[in-house]
Amino acid sequence: MVVEVGYAQAWDPEACAPWRPTSAQEARERDAAGLAYVVVYREPGRETPLEVRSVSWRDHYVGLWVHDAQGRRTYDLDKRLLDDDPSRLLRRYTVGWYCTGPEMAEFDKACPRITVDLFPDRRGRRTEKRQGQSGGSYITPARTPGRRAPDGPPRLRGVAAALRPGTRAH
């Protein structure tokens, strides 16, 4: 699979489009200055992106949206810079929506989902809603690997370098 990479100052989720597209060089400059930008991964010929990564070091935030073939957002990831160690990110929150068919709308209340909340002290919870919002919830403690489950910050130079033609970054 060939993946095209684009950059912008922000992402418009309603239009499913980049807002104020920029060059890779301008995105690097925004990254170095701590300003917000997005990285958009697309497959040629596909109307919606594969994924959108949002970065704002000033806000201690890195986010990820994954889109399915129908253009629905099906996965959300929120990472935060740790205050006591700003060289590391905590995978703070994830939610995955598991659409049961192509006719199911994005964020449909009946859509099954799994949410994971993690905290810097290694506490966390995993919430599974097999019938969506209207069904019951199955809540368990979330597993946190290592001492805190943080990752190193994927600064633009690392993100761009990790993506080679024919591959997809995760």
Side-chain angles (χ1 to χ4, degrees):
M1 168 192 311
V2 174
V3 175
E4 298 173 341
V5 179
Y7 306 92
Q9 288 185 17
W11 180 255
D12 181 343
E14 297 303 315
C16 199
W19 182 76
R20 293 196 176 172
T22 66
S23 66
Q25 180 59 37
E26 185 177 341
R28 280 188 199 91
E29 291 166 5
R30 294 183 69 80
D31 184 78
L35 300 174
Y37 66 95
V38 296
V39 183
V40 181
Y41 298 89
R42 291 187 180 275
E43 184 178 6
R46 182 173 154 157
E47 193 172 316
T48 58
L50 296 166
E51 56 187 55
V52 177
R53 296 179 186 208
S54 178
V55 179
S56 180
W57 298 120
R58 184 176 289 169
D59 297 321
H60 295 216
Y61 172 77
V62 175
L64 167 71
W65 281 103
V66 175
H67 296 251
D68 68 7
Q70 282 76 33
R72 299 172 295 204
R73 290 169 282 181
T74 58
Y75 185 78
D76 177 18
L77 169 67
D78 180 317
K79 290 187 175 189
R80 301 295 172 141
L81 283 173
L82 295 168
D83 290 333
D84 62 342
D85 186 356
S87 68
R88 296 173 62 121
L89 287 164
L90 170 69
R91 179 179 165 172
R92 169 67 191 91
Y93 170 86
T94 61
V95 60
W97 292 269
Y98 302 92
C99 297
T100 57
E103 71 288 342
M104 182 170 270
E106 180 178 63
F107 309 133
D108 189 304
K109 291 189 184 297
C111 186
R113 68 201 70 197
I114 297 174
T115 304
V116 178
D117 291 290
L118 299 175
F119 304 97
D121 64 0
R122 296 187 61 199
R123 289 180 307 115
R125 77 174 164 258
R126 181 181 186 273
T127 305
E128 186 173 345
K129 296 184 176 188
R130 294 180 182 166
Q131 283 84 41
Q133 294 291 77
S134 60
S137 296
Y138 180 64
I139 301 171
T140 58
R143 295 182 188 164
T144 56
R147 62 176 200 210
R148 291 207 235 169
D151 300 321
R155 297 287 178 154
L156 179 61
R157 59 189 169 274
V159 172
L163 188 67
R164 299 285 183 247
T167 65
R168 181 171 169 213
H170 294 284

